[in-house]
Amino acid sequence: MSCHKAQPREIAASCAVVFLALPHTVAMEYAPSLLKLGVKVIDLSADYRINDPAVYERHYQIPHKDAARLKHAVYGLPELYRADIASATLVANPGCYPTCAILALAPFLSCGAVDRTHIIIDAKSGISGAGKKITRDLLFGEAHEDFRAYKVNAHQHIPEIVQVLARLAGGDVGVTFVPHLLPLNRGILETIYVTKQKGTDLQGLMSAFYKTEPFVRVRPQGEFPRIKDVVYTNYCDIGVRDEGTRAIIIAAIDNLRKGASGQAVQNMNIMFGFPEHLGLR
Ligand SMILES: NC(=O)c1ccc[n+]([C@@H]2O[C@H](COP(=O)([O-])OP(=O)(O)OC[C@H]3O[C@@H](n4cnc5c(N)ncnc54)[C@H](OP(=O)(O)O)[C@@H]3O)[C@@H](O)[C@H]2O)c1
C-alpha cells in the first residue's frame, strides 16, 4: 500500500467521519474542506477547542485560519455535552490534561459547591503526552529517573480548562495549573485542591453526578486512583478527600485513550448512534 498526501475528495468518497490526529495549526487546514464535502470531523488537536480566536492566537502563536467555524464546533466531552455531540458535524476532542481536570471539577463547579476563584491543579503526565517529536528534554536519558515541572502556570491547556470551567460555574474562575513530566510512557494523574462551601457533601455530589456514566469511576471516600488503574483504558477514575473547608480531588486517565483516541471513538459512537462503549471495553 502506498501513502500519499491526503485528498479531501478521495476521503469523502469512502468515509463518513475523519479523525484528525494532526498537530494544531495543521488540523484547521484539513477540516474545512472535509466538512464542506459532508464528512463529519473529530479533531484531536486544539484547533477547534477555544471559542475566541484571539485567545487561540495568544496561546498557540498563530492566527486562526477558520475562525468563523469555532462557534459551530462542539467540545467533545461526552459526560458534559453528550446531546450536542450527537448532532455535531465538527467535534473538538478535548485535550488530555483538560479532560482529567474538567471531569474532576465539573460536579462541584456546576452547583457552586467549591470556590471557583481559587483552584489549584497539580498535574503529571507520561511522556507520550508530548507526541513523537524529537526534543532533547524528552530523550530517554533526560527524562528517565527524573521528575520536573514544565510550563509552570503557562501551559497552552490553561485557556481550555478555564473556558469550560467558567461555563460550568457561570462566572470567571481562578486556576493555577502546574504540569509535570513523569518518566512513564503514558498516563495522567492530577491532584486538585479546592475550598468547599460549608455543608456540602462532595463525595455524594461526585457519586451522583457520574452515577450513570460508562467511563467515569468514582472511588469510595478516602480511596484514590493510580495511573496503573487506567492505562490502556477509556476510564477516568476519581477519588475525593472531603474534610473541613479544604478538599482534594485526585483523578487519573490514560492520556492516549480517555485523553485522546478513546474519547474520540466515544464521540464517534455518540455521533452515529452506536452504543457508547463500542470498541472501548
Ligand atoms: N499525545 C497525547 O497524549 C495527546 C492527547 C490529546 C490530544 N493530542 C493532540 O492530538 C494530535 C496528535 O497528537 P500525537 O501525540 O499523535 O502527535 P504526533 O505524535 O506529533 O503526531 C502527529 C502526526 O501528524 C502528522 N503530520 C504532521 N504535520 C502534517 C501535515 N502537514 N500533513 C499531514 N500530516 C502531518 C505527523 O506525520 P509524520 O509521521 O509524517 O511526522 C504525525 O503522524 C495533536 O494535535 C495533539 O496535541 C495528543
Side-chain angles (χ1 to χ4, degrees):
M1 196 181 105
S2 69
C3 289
H4 55 271
K5 189 169 163 51
Q7 303 293 345
R9 280 193 185 284
E10 192 184 343
I11 293 168
S14 58
C15 300
V17 61
V18 168
F19 298 89
L20 294 178
L22 297 165
H24 63 273
T25 74
V26 179
M28 63 184 164
E29 287 173 12
Y30 282 91
S33 49
L34 290 165
L35 289 162
K36 270 184 210 143
L37 290 163
V39 179
K40 295 186 181 191
V41 171
I42 300 171
D43 176 26
L44 281 82
S45 87
D47 280 354
Y48 293 95
R49 294 182 200 150
I50 306 290
N51 299 143
D52 182 344
V55 175
Y56 178 90
E57 183 168 349
R58 191 157 64 245
H59 289 272
Y60 290 92
Q61 285 89 46
I62 184 169
H64 205 287
K65 293 180 193 155
D66 191 24
R69 206 170 261 107
L70 287 175
K71 59 178 176 292
H72 302 297
V74 171
Y75 192 69
L77 195 59
E79 291 76 9
L80 300 185
Y81 304 115
R82 187 171 278 113
D84 296 329
I85 295 165
S87 58
T89 51
L90 171 60
V91 166
N93 215 61
C96 46
Y97 280 132
T99 292
C100 196
I102 295 164
L103 289 176
L105 287 159
F108 308 143
L109 287 176
S110 58
C111 69
V114 300
D115 177 1
R116 64 179 159 87
T117 65
H118 190 62
I119 298 164
I120 298 170
I121 305 171
D122 176 17
K124 299 107 187 163
S125 172
I127 292 170
S128 59
K132 66 179 192 178
K133 62 181 175 295
I134 298 166
T135 56
R136 182 179 159 165
D137 280 357
L138 303 177
L139 293 174
F140 180 82
E142 294 289 329
H144 181 58
E145 294 198 62
D146 193 21
F147 182 56
R148 60 172 177 264
Y150 66 100
K151 296 186 182 174
V152 174
N153 217 22
H155 193 278
Q156 66 277 11
H157 282 165
I158 293 173
E160 182 182 336
I161 294 171
V162 166
Q163 174 180 286
V164 180
L165 294 185
R167 197 188 302 161
L168 282 170
D172 289 347
V173 294
V175 172
T176 303
F177 178 79
V178 183
H180 299 75
L181 186 67
L182 281 173
L184 302 175
N185 286 341
R186 55 203 292 162
I188 285 179
L189 191 130
E190 297 186 8
T191 305
I192 302 175
Y193 302 87
V194 288
T195 305
K196 56 178 274 198
Q197 307 295 1
K198 267 199 186 128
T200 48
D201 166 19
L202 297 191
Q203 179 73 32
L205 284 172
M206 180 71 83
S207 300
F209 197 88
Y210 291 122
K211 201 169 155 197
T212 58
E213 283 301 331
F215 291 111
V216 180
R217 300 184 295 203
V218 179
R219 296 299 169 97
Q221 170 90 336
E223 285 184 25
F224 300 96
R226 40 195 286 208
I227 280 179
K228 276 190 175 173
D229 295 330
V230 294
V231 282
Y232 299 103
T233 82
N234 198 49
Y235 289 110
C236 175
D237 283 8
I238 309 177
V240 184
R241 178 129 207 141
D242 175 3
E243 279 175 358
T245 55
R246 304 282 298 169
I248 299 165
I249 311 147
I250 300 181
I253 62 167
D254 183 328
N255 55 297
L256 298 174
R257 290 277 178 98
K258 185 60 175 164
S261 61
Q263 185 137 268
V265 170
Q266 192 178 350
N267 281 320
M268 178 193 71
N269 289 341
I270 295 167
M271 291 163 87
F272 287 86
F274 302 146
E276 199 165 319
H277 55 80
L278 206 65
L280 295 171
R281 277 188 183 153

